[in-house]
Structures are given as structure tokens and as C-alpha cells.
Amino acid sequence: MTTDSAVRAQAGSPATLFGIGEATLRRLAVRGALALAFGVALALLEPFGLGEDQLLFRLGFWTAMMAVWFILFSAIDLAAQMTPLERLHPLGRFLLVSALAAGPMVVISQSATDEGFVLTDLLEIVEGLGQVLLIAGAFEGLTALIFAQWFAPGAQDRGPTPAAGPEITEDGLPPLVQKLPFAMRGAVVCLQMEDHYVRVHTTRGSALVLMRLSDAIGELQGTPGLQVHRSWWVAEAAVRGVDRSARAVRVHLSNGVIAPVSRPYVQALLAVAGG
């Protein structure tokens, strides 16, 4: 995994596209590639009686269906992250998003077959729903395993050498820091949401933890800090400066990370930064 996107972000160039962070875009790109590869595998495995069709047809059908699933699931999941559903446990949100995507997926997949989609054929709809959930479950399970190797806490991004900061002893570590690999345990600089994970930046590097941002903040046990964005929390002691322009506000932190700041949090941040 490459150096963390937030560390690489330069002043005046926030790493976002339509409000979507670079880390999320990177994960979406990986998921999209995996979806197409999974479609090729399905074409070769010939599930659900499609083996009688020509290979080119199966390749076109399954890669198209996996592309549609990827788009549906990703769009619903991104939308859910902008609503109170963001506070759901990651597994609960995953199951809800899968269920919401499965309905239109059944309509699209059955419409692409010779028989077509028949609204009154309840048995066919239930069978199609089962097939969609079976394939989607297999794909999402495989994706989760791959992401666990590439994006999980064991795959840390040290980035540039962090600036010196206040260290804390092992006995005084907050519960959140105790979840990190030993080499990453230090004073928390900031927290950054990345899909269903929280990236914990410390004075020794960064690592990912599977949990909600609100739960991660709660496990800091009162460490002085504030939320500056729906996806970011920063420690007060790590704030080194604030950039303000007509387009965006960003906060510079002691480890070189530049975090975005949403308008509702600007005044609270300026009070901490002394600006």
C-alpha cells in the first residue's frame, strides 16, 4: 500500500473528487477491478445454467452484471456515509447496503436474460434474489479478505518521519491506541475515516482499525481534540496552523498531515489554533 494520501496532500490541493477522499477513490478502484475479475471467473465457472451459452456471451453477461453490482453497492454505500446510517456498525451497514442493492440487481439481471423480468412471478423473483445474494456474498467476502491484507491494521503507512510529539507510556495508552500494532503506538495526532475503517495517525506512524469514527473518538479517553470534518478528528496538541481561503479551510498537523475542515467546525478550530 502506498504512502497515506493525507500525508501526500499538498497545501491548496485537497485530495478529494466531488467530496470523496483519495483513499476512498483508491479503494473503489480496487473494488472495481476485483468486480471485473470476479465476472471473468463466473463466466468460466458457468453457474446457474449459463454453461450452454458461448464463452464470449458469458464473459459479457457476468462482467456487466458485476460492474452493475459494483456501481449499485458503491453508490448506496457512499450515500449511506452521508446520512445517520454512517453511525451503524460496519457489518450492519454492509448488510443493509447489500439488501438495498439486491432489489434493483434482480430486476437488471433478470431483464438481461431471454425470459426477462416478470413482476408477477414471485418464485422467480425469490430465486433471483437468492442468486444475487449468493454471488454478492461471495464477491464481498473475497474482497474483504483481500482488503484485510492490503488495508488492514497490519499494512501500516509510515509516510514521512513524524515530528516529535508528546509520547505516552504503555500503561497510559488509551484503548484505541492499544488496538494498533506495537510499533505504531504513540500519542494520537488525528483520526481519519476510510470507508468502514478509521486510520489512526500517531507520532509513530498510522494504521487502520475497523470501527466507526465516533467509537474511535470515545476510546481516546478524553484526549483533548475536536472533530473538524465528518471524517476527521484532530488532537489539539498536534495543530500547527490553519489555511483559510475562499474555497477551503485546512489544518496542518505536527506529523505533516493536512486535514480538510468543514465550515461548521472552523470557529472551534480557530479557537484552538489561536487564530
Side-chain angles (χ1 to χ4, degrees), residues 125-237:
I125 294 175
V126 172
E127 181 181 355
L129 186 61
Q131 293 175 350
V132 166
L133 292 176
L134 177 62
I135 291 180
F139 169 68
E140 296 299 340
L142 176 63
T143 302
L145 289 175
I146 294 174
F147 274 37
Q149 297 298 318
W150 292 1
F151 295 94
Q156 307 91 12
D157 295 328
R158 288 183 177 271
T161 302
E167 296 294 339
I168 47 183
T169 64
E170 190 71 17
D171 292 339
L173 290 175
L176 176 63
V177 178
Q178 294 180 29
K179 290 182 167 68
L180 305 180
F182 185 79
M184 297 292 106
R185 296 179 184 179
V188 176
V189 175
C190 63
L191 306 178
Q192 173 189 6
M193 279 295 298
E194 291 189 13
D195 289 346
H196 303 289
Y197 292 86
V198 172
R199 179 171 294 282
V200 183
H201 296 266
T202 73
T203 51
R204 295 182 178 178
S206 71
L208 290 168
V209 179
L210 179 61
M211 63 192 315
R212 297 174 296 184
L213 180 61
S214 57
D215 293 337
I217 295 173
E219 291 198 6
L220 288 174
Q221 291 188 332
T223 300
L226 69 161
Q227 192 164 350
V228 296
H229 186 275
R230 66 182 180 85
S231 300
W232 286 82
W233 176 96
V234 301
E236 290 184 7

Side-chain angles (χ1 to χ4, degrees), residues 2-141:
T2 56
T3 304
D4 187 77
S5 59
V7 174
R8 294 200 314 266
Q10 300 297 316
S13 179
T16 61
L17 177 64
F18 303 117
I20 303 174
E22 182 181 337
T24 299
L25 291 174
R26 187 168 63 244
R27 293 166 69 91
L28 287 174
V30 173
R31 278 181 52 84
L34 290 174
L36 294 179
F38 198 80
V40 173
L42 288 173
L44 298 175
L45 292 173
E46 307 175 1
F48 307 132
L50 290 178
E52 299 177 357
D53 296 300
Q54 295 293 324
L55 176 60
L56 287 179
F57 172 83
R58 298 199 308 271
L59 283 171
F61 177 82
W62 284 115
T63 53
M65 291 303 100
M66 289 308 303
V68 171
W69 172 260
F70 163 72
I71 293 171
L72 283 173
F73 185 94
S74 300
I76 296 173
D77 189 45
L78 287 172
Q81 294 179 39
M82 302 177 185
T83 70
L85 294 177
E86 182 185 23
R87 294 193 291 270
L88 288 176
H89 186 278
L91 178 59
R93 195 174 82 198
F94 164 75
L95 294 175
L96 177 60
V97 171
S98 297
L100 292 174
M105 190 70 221
V106 170
V107 177
I108 294 171
S109 60
Q110 290 189 355
S111 298
T113 63
D114 293 336
E115 293 81 4
F117 176 74
V118 181
L119 183 61
T120 57
D121 193 340
L122 182 60
L123 182 61
E124 189 73 17
I125 294 175
V126 172
E127 181 181 355
L129 186 61
Q131 293 175 350
V132 166
L133 292 176
L134 177 62
I135 291 180
F139 169 68
E140 296 299 340

